[in-house]
Amino acid sequence: MKPLEIAKGIYWVGSIDWNIRDFHGYSTHDGTTYNAFLIMDEKITLIDTVKKEFADELIRNISQIVDPQKIDYVVSNHTEMDHSGGLARVMHRIGEDKPLYCSKMGAKNLAKHFPQKWNYQPVENGGELSLGKRTLTFLETRMVHWPDSMFSYLKEDKILFSSDGFGQHYAGLERFDDEIGDKIMIDAKKYFANILMLYSPLILKLVNKVTEMGLEIDMICPDHGIMWRKDPSKIINAYAEWSEQKPKRKALVIYDTMWHSTEMMAEAIVDSLGQEGVDAKPMHLRRCHRSDIITEVLDAGAILVGSPTLNNQIFPTIADFLTYMKGLKPKNKVAAAFGSYGWSGEAVKVIKNELEEMDFDIIDPGIRMQYVPDEKCIAACYELGKKVAEALPKVL
Ligand code: FEO
């Protein structure tokens, strides 16, 4: 993809990764982009690089605008290798002695990834760097998404280079929010749920800080996906809402099944929830990817998890999902477990313990059924649906 002038003298020079489908366990159905930006000022400045495999493309893009050796400054907003993997190739091409601006933690973390003794210039929160006619201000944004993360704000152009923040794993010909419309919010929500949900309290503070500082923002340029220029407040407000994790009248029935018994229970619970006016859906763990389920978990008020007992354990996909969900620390959920078994039947207890450890409100001891659900079991599933519906907010 050729470079694109996104504002006068400021270029997108990154790469589009059309074919990536698994981003360290996150399903990227739509691919992704690694955005990098070139600011043409008295001091020519590169903000972020790309994944290592795309470094040559980045250099080709820069070369269409300026000789890479004329770059004066490099800014690394985030150490993770989808944005810094290309640094070795880029620094070698533009000059190993060029100043490399990053947070203090960024300097430490980059040094743990690269043996080169680069000219690190750690910056403070609020620190400024004059590029000539323009000024960059650095904002520490720890844990959005690593301890080294920071944003860079270009004062005169009112552009926020936000690294992972406000990003989306989306590869497309559209480059801006006004070109793609609201459908990008699905990808933005998925990104938030899977990458940032556990840092919700920090993000809420960050959004409040940015609001209090009165930063004027005409454009937000994240390192993944489209750039927000039509209405940057839309994604900022969405982050504030998602960070609060207010539960909706929505329930997820997440399960796996061996001979359809646990599935029969799941379907009965969903049917009951639907009859009670709850937005409910069954999510089979070998049909739905864990990262798509987590997107739904973000604003669900109830999580019901069902598993058969396999060799005295929960089914492996359930273990995978519970581990993933636990790490992301979702909040404000009621929960319960259910499942069929043959002879020992430990799964429901194991799931219940896991859900308790996640601080979910366990509203039922759980439903266990030996072999195939009978009428009594199905009736219990309908009762569980009613109980969950009563515990949820009254509005969808
Ligand atoms: Fe897109 Fe945390 O890296």
Side-chain angles (χ1 to χ4, degrees), residues 161-176:
F161 297 99
S162 60
S163 185
D164 278 341
F166 312 118
Q168 337 88 48
H169 283 313
Y170 178 79
L173 295 176
E174 310 92 336
R175 315 312 301 280
F176 296 99

Side-chain angles (χ1 to χ4, degrees), residues 252-256 270 281-289 292-293 296:
L252 304 178
V253 181
I254 301 158
Y255 72 99
D256 209 324
V270 169
K281 70 167 89 168
M283 303 195 90
H284 185 309
L285 271 164
R286 277 176 290 152
R287 303 287 178 271
C288 307
H289 194 274
D292 291 317
I293 299 176
E296 300 287 343

Side-chain angles (χ1 to χ4, degrees), residues 20 61 127 183 256 337:
I20 187 167
N61 281 344
K183 75 172 185 171
D256 209 324

Side-chain angles (χ1 to χ4, degrees), residues 138-157:
F138 302 108
L139 304 170
E140 217 173 63
T141 57
R142 279 174 172 254
M143 306 321 294
V144 184
H145 134 249
W146 275 12
D148 48 69
S149 295
M150 64 176 195
F151 289 177
S152 300
Y153 175 66
L154 195 59
K155 258 192 204 174
E156 293 75 9
D157 298 84

